[in-house]
Amino acid sequence: MAVYLHWNYACRAKLLDDSADKAVFRAFKNRVCIAQALYLAAALMCFVNTYPSVAVTISIQLNYALALFFSPKGGPNKEVELVDE
């Protein structure tokens, strides 16, 4: 949660680049909060059985490092259409 607190402070203190819009800030906050909730669930699983807890923790880490399981809307290979002006 320290990352979330630092990000929130940086946003409020206007320490970030102006080129990023509010969607970037919201996406980062959502990503941190969801990851922390998933890690909490994996930690609580250790009271039932440690092996699935470790497996879930590793899969969460792989997901956020490599974007294996959950990708943004449209998928990771979504083609972007360029518009000529």
Side-chain angles (χ1 to χ4, degrees):
M1 290 310 277
V3 172
Y4 177 78
L5 294 174
H6 285 109
W7 181 260
N8 205 13
Y9 173 76
C11 289
R12 283 186 288 130
K14 301 195 186 310
L15 299 174
L16 303 171
D17 189 11
D18 291 335
S19 65
D21 60 352
K22 290 183 180 183
V24 173
F25 303 138
R26 241 188 340 255
F28 184 81
K29 287 180 181 180
N30 288 340
R31 183 178 175 100
V32 169
C33 291
I34 290 171
Q36 293 303 314
L38 291 173
Y39 282 127
L40 175 65
L44 292 175
M45 284 179 67
C46 75
F47 292 111
V48 177
N49 193 345
T50 56
Y51 293 116
S53 176
V54 170
V56 169
T57 302
I58 291 171
S59 63
I60 292 168
Q61 291 173 349
L62 287 175
N63 176 51
Y64 279 98
L66 306 173
L68 296 176
F69 305 117
F70 303 107
S71 60
K73 293 176 185 173
N77 295 327
K78 181 181 176 183
E79 292 183 24
V80 177
E81 184 177 320
L82 298 176
V83 178
D84 293 330
E85 291 186 36

